[in-house]
Amino acid sequence: MSGAERQWPPAGGKAVRETSSIAFCAWHEAYSNTARPVRDSSGARLFACLSCRQAYDLVPIADEEP
């Protein structure tokens, strides 16, 4: 198991691997574990953290309507 994976529940029960990642938020220019890919006004794909997505009304690419 890598450092980016955790097991839950920690003691007993069925173990489930949960992955986490860290990406660079292009809006506040720092790393965040809540960053997801979004499109900026020009259509470029960049990462934005949760607070920046809320502040700038950014929709993650995975949540866009087709």
Side-chain angles (χ1 to χ4, degrees):
M1 183 173 358
S2 72
E5 296 178 352
R6 316 181 273 256
Q7 286 193 338
W8 187 258
K14 184 178 178 183
V16 176
R17 288 189 177 178
E18 178 183 305
T19 60
S20 63
S21 61
I22 297 175
F24 188 80
C25 174
W27 274 258
H28 80 272
E29 299 180 342
Y31 288 96
S32 171
N33 63 350
T34 63
R36 291 180 61 193
V38 298
R39 295 185 199 279
D40 70 1
S41 59
S42 68
R45 295 179 195 174
L46 302 169
F47 282 89
C49 69
L50 177 61
S51 60
C52 289
R53 290 194 314 265
Q54 291 172 340
Y56 298 102
D57 197 29
L58 302 168
V59 178
I61 292 173
D63 297 345
E64 290 178 349
E65 292 185 20

